[in-house]
Amino acid sequence: MDTKKLTEIIESIEQNISKLLELSVSKQKVLIQRNHDELNSLSEREEKCLNNIAYLTKQQKIFTEQLKEELNIPSGISSLTEVIELSGNNIISEHRIRMLKALHEIKIMSADLELKNFQNKMLIETSRTFIKGIIQAVRGSKNSSLINRRM
């Protein structure tokens, strides 16, 4: 099997996750600024990255299964890193190095992305609480509502 295509797929996944991380950082700034239009634009771009990652991940699984089959690697082994390590010299050294490097970067960026997503979720929750507080202040009860209050 030519592992060049598998290497390219893994590196493409890495690039898409990197782009997703950049978008998450930008999203924090936009959430703080409460820029609704830019938030929508970023969300659309994030969705495209996620769709790319989903497609590439399916392709990666297909190529990994082919590699496992070709090299008689037990079906119980599902970790791509393990498959690469068990393949020994059956994979071109350059491809092995590039794949392992990309997988390592994916792992690091995924942890960073998880943190950014948690922070963004907190910003969104804070914004929702703020908006609910404003709505409640405006509506309130009949006696305390800003709408019904006489000046």
Side-chain angles (χ1 to χ4, degrees), residues 62-80:
I62 291 168
F63 280 95
T64 301
E65 286 303 315
Q66 289 174 358
L67 181 64
K68 285 170 51 177
E69 201 173 290
E70 196 173 292
L71 299 177
N72 295 319
I73 295 174
S75 61
I77 295 176
S78 59
S79 163
L80 181 55

Side-chain angles (χ1 to χ4, degrees), residues 45-136:
R45 290 166 43 203
E46 279 181 324
E47 190 172 338
K48 285 179 185 175
C49 280
L50 290 169
N51 288 337
N52 287 341
I53 291 168
Y55 172 76
L56 290 166
T57 300
K58 286 179 186 176
Q59 293 299 307
Q60 175 258 305
K61 287 180 181 179
I62 291 168
F63 280 95
T64 301
E65 286 303 315
Q66 289 174 358
L67 181 64
K68 285 170 51 177
E69 201 173 290
E70 196 173 292
L71 299 177
N72 295 319
I73 295 174
S75 61
I77 295 176
S78 59
S79 163
L80 181 55
T81 303
E82 285 181 274
V83 171
I84 294 167
E85 289 171 353
L86 287 173
S87 66
N89 293 328
N90 294 310
I91 293 180
I92 297 171
S93 180
E94 176 195 348
H95 294 170
R96 178 199 328 267
I97 292 167
R98 286 172 50 194
M99 284 190 278
L100 290 173
K101 181 180 180 276
L103 289 169
H104 178 71
E105 290 299 317
I106 288 169
K107 186 176 182 179
I108 291 169
M109 285 187 293
S110 294
D112 290 345
L113 190 57
E114 188 175 341
L115 176 62
K116 293 294 179 207
N117 284 340
F118 175 77
Q119 291 169 342
N120 288 347
K121 183 179 176 183
M122 296 306 294
L123 286 169
I124 291 168
E125 288 302 317
T126 301
S127 183
R128 282 184 179 166
T129 302
F130 177 73
I131 291 168
K132 284 180 184 179
I134 290 173
I135 291 171
Q136 191 170 8

Side-chain angles (χ1 to χ4, degrees), residues 34-51:
R34 293 191 171 101
N35 184 337
H36 186 265
D37 293 334
E38 183 64 22
L39 183 60
N40 285 336
S41 172
L42 284 171
S43 295
E44 288 172 8
R45 290 166 43 203
E46 279 181 324
E47 190 172 338
K48 285 179 185 175
C49 280
L50 290 169
N51 288 337

